[in-house]
Amino acid sequence: MKWENFPDYESLSARAAQLFLDFIHRKPNAVLGLPTGRTPIGMYERVIAECSREYRCFRDVTTFNLDEYVGIPGDHPGSYCTFMKQQLFEHVDIDRRNTHIPNGTAPDLAAECARYEAAIRAAGGLDVTFLGLGANGHIAFNEPGTPFDARTRIVTLTESTRAANEAVFGADVPTEAITMGIGTILESRSIVLLASGSNKRAAIDRLRGGEVSEEFPASALWRHGDVTVLAT
Ligand code: GLP
């Protein structure tokens, strides 16, 4: 696990955007795993700014988002689908058919999870996955106690995760989500974890400590050979 420490959020975001852009320059048809949340917003802003100066930045890129709320339609302001459109997809030349987000309103959610896994495989697997970090160590929506071999599935959100998302939903924060599993994420060829925020300090220190435990989902990343942690 490679650690890079930054004095502030701005410099962390600049480095994350540089890694992102280097990746799609090296492999223009890269398959990316993408996060939502407040942390990656600065990265996306910088990626957009750079790509607005370039020709065909995202033309052949494919993306798979990590997660989506159950029961929230894609056009709901709190959906991760809306987030991705606003933070990235509307501003770059990506082909929308190559963007994938689990469908939290699918009539058969188990089938949707299986379909999502199959779509990742059909795309050739994830080349690089960018992750945020939950204050309790969750990655995507894999909460403490998740087996490290878990696949894409329906999960119940913890109270702390629901509270962290109150700003968008008010009292009606969804109780469930579809998330890529830790096993799915670990199959990504490279992983970049963005860890920023005063409420993440304990989680960052715990991850740095190196103890691997299913009670702390991010520690699964120690089992992977190509992880870069950007921390502030
Ligand atoms: C949500 C997302 C995670 C994200 C986490 C942290 O739970 N499902 O993928 O990493 O929030 O979000 P933030 O970056 O806003 O702290």
Side-chain angles (χ1 to χ4, degrees):
M1 191 180 277
K2 295 188 286 278
W3 282 77
E4 297 185 23
N5 301 305
F6 297 88
D8 51 37
Y9 177 69
E10 300 304 315
S11 50
L12 179 147
S13 299
R15 175 64 174 148
Q18 183 192 32
L19 289 173
F20 190 120
L21 290 162
D22 282 353
F23 217 95
I24 60 177
H25 284 146
R26 271 203 311 275
K27 188 169 183 191
N29 63 346
V31 180
L32 307 179
L34 293 183
T36 50
R38 286 170 287 272
T39 310
I41 289 176
M43 171 181 80
Y44 289 138
E45 280 172 2
R46 285 163 178 78
V47 166
I48 291 165
E50 202 52 46
C51 288
S52 67
R53 287 192 282 275
E54 285 182 40
Y55 183 55
R56 294 180 170 175
C57 210
F58 273 82
R59 193 187 64 166
D60 299 319
V61 168
T62 296
T63 65
F64 287 89
N65 266 81
L66 296 169
D67 41 22
E68 179 60 284
Y69 295 106
V70 165
I72 301 297
D75 59 0
H76 185 287
S79 76
Y80 284 161
C81 189
T82 298
F83 176 99
M84 289 308 298
K85 281 185 196 150
Q86 291 175 346
Q87 301 299 331
L88 183 66
F89 298 154
E90 278 172 0
H91 310 283
V92 295
D93 65 330
I94 197 158
D95 182 338
R96 286 295 174 82
R97 289 168 302 186
N98 293 340
T99 67
H100 305 271
I101 299 180
N103 177 5
T105 59
D108 181 341
L109 290 168
E112 172 61 9
C113 295
R115 183 198 68 78
Y116 205 67
E117 287 272 336
I120 294 171
R121 273 196 301 280
L126 300 165
D127 288 309
V128 59
T129 297
F130 290 82
L131 299 173
L133 179 66
N136 62 1
H138 73 235
I139 49 174
F141 270 134
N142 295 286
E143 300 281 20
T146 302
F148 286 169
D149 60 357
R151 310 304 305 187
T152 300
R153 69 203 187 288
I154 313 298
V155 291
T156 300
L157 302 178
T158 62
E159 281 310 313
S160 68
T161 298
R162 294 183 68 226
N165 288 291
E166 255 168 24
V168 209
F169 290 103
D172 296 321
V173 189
T175 54
E176 292 181 319
I178 298 182
T179 184
M180 262 189 215
I182 293 180
T184 320
I185 292 168
L186 290 179
E187 284 171 9
S188 179
R189 288 182 264 279
S190 297
I191 295 174
V192 180
L193 177 77
L194 280 54
S196 167
S198 50
N199 61 330
K200 308 290 172 66
R201 180 60 37 215
I204 294 169
D205 289 347
R206 188 166 173 186
L207 179 61
R208 207 190 295 265
E211 185 207 343
V212 176
S213 158
E214 289 184 350
E215 286 313 307
F216 188 66
S219 68
L221 301 177
W222 284 104
R223 299 257 169 97
H224 191 283
D226 184 1
V227 175
T228 303
V229 180
L230 309 182
T232 182

